[in-house]
Amino acid sequence: MTESSPQHGAPDGTPATGDARANVGAPEKGRADKARTRSTRLPRPKNNAGRDLPTAIAVGVGLGVLVVGAVWAGPLAWYLVVAGAIGVAMWEVLTRLKERGYFLQRKHLLCLGQAMIWSSWFAGAGGLVAVYVVAVLSLMFGRLFQNGRHRPPENYLRDMAVGIFVLTWVPLFATFAAMLANTPSPFASGERSIITFMLCVVASDTGGYIAGVMFGSHPMAPAVSPKKSWEGFIGSLVLSTLVGALTFWLVLHHLPWIGAIMGLFLAVCATLGDLVESQFKRELGIKDMSALLPGHGGLMDRLDGMLPAAMVTWVAVSVLTATSV
């Protein structure tokens, strides 16, 4: 008569029955099932959603004062602030890309970005488009000779596509924000257009943050940005729409319902811009573009939603001006 092996039986050497074997690992399985269930919902943020909130507020107020001061000082001061911000933001983006093995000439792209912004000062949207086309052509042709005439370029399509993406994402969209200062409008000066645009985007960020912290439990795009919730998105829409209506009425002295539609579109653009940057950082495996702004990350982390919203604002103001609504 052979003895039962402890490996296949109970701790005392008694062979495990069928029921006992079926229950082996049941507690672990139950805990795993509960963990998977919890993972489908967003965790409620603790301690201000991971931010140093007082520092973040102080930095945000400082940036707001800088923006308001530039707007008050006139179009040239506004262009200088936009050009400086875009130079820093492009440096952050291009540095992170270079660290991950992308071949992009930072100085070349920085100069092209500044040329795009300042060309609009002298020639408006036409100048911007002309310089943007020249910038794209310079990337396409310049990359051909990365390794000289006798060796083909490495990762040509990848690096050229990323370079065009950066030129579009940062300086092209930002130039529309700069051009708001010089956009002729029968119902709003450039200063008031800029203030309206900024207030709507800030309202979108604020509404999304508050609603996300207080009520966020249903992930909006977990594969791209796990912390972004549908509740936060609704908060962005509500507050931005309200602020858009109020600013159109009180600042632009225009129809509030048009401002409400404007605020709604800007909230959508700001949210999508945030998701674009989230995916960009996810592919590079980074949390922030830099540590330039305490409590916020990099400057690009603050501009991600404003860039596409600036383009939509410029288009909306131009259409309203042309139709004289």
Side-chain angles (χ1 to χ4, degrees), residues 92-170:
E92 291 176 342
V93 171
L94 295 171
T95 300
R96 301 289 83 78
L97 287 168
K98 184 178 180 181
E99 291 172 351
R100 295 307 185 273
Y102 290 86
F103 182 85
L104 294 170
Q105 295 179 322
R106 282 182 297 184
K107 293 181 180 179
H108 179 63
L109 288 174
L110 285 169
C111 290
L112 292 174
Q114 293 298 308
M116 289 167 59
I117 293 173
W118 289 105
S119 65
S120 70
W121 173 265
F122 299 101
L128 168 63
V129 172
V131 176
Y132 177 75
V133 171
V134 171
V136 171
L137 289 175
S138 70
L139 284 179
M140 292 173 61
F141 299 152
R143 277 295 271 114
L144 289 175
F145 306 104
Q146 167 196 351
N147 296 324
R149 293 181 301 167
H150 304 291
R151 292 178 55 199
E154 299 175 358
N155 299 315
Y156 174 79
L157 291 178
R158 183 200 69 175
D159 293 340
M160 185 187 68
V162 170
I164 295 174
F165 170 76
V166 171
L167 286 175
T168 304
W169 185 31
V170 188

Side-chain angles (χ1 to χ4, degrees), residues 49-90:
R51 283 191 187 187
D52 182 355
L53 197 56
T55 301
I57 291 175
V59 172
V61 170
L63 292 175
V65 170
L66 176 63
V67 168
V68 172
V71 172
W72 176 81
L76 180 57
W78 174 245
Y79 259 80
L80 288 170
V81 168
V82 172
I86 294 314
V88 174
M90 287 189 69

Side-chain angles (χ1 to χ4, degrees), residues 177-207:
M179 289 193 299
L180 285 173
N182 291 328
T183 300
S185 173
F187 63 88
S189 63
E191 293 82 359
R192 286 187 287 172
S193 297
I194 295 170
I195 293 299
T196 299
F197 146 67
M198 297 291 290
L199 286 176
C200 286
V201 176
V202 170
S204 175
D205 288 344
T206 304

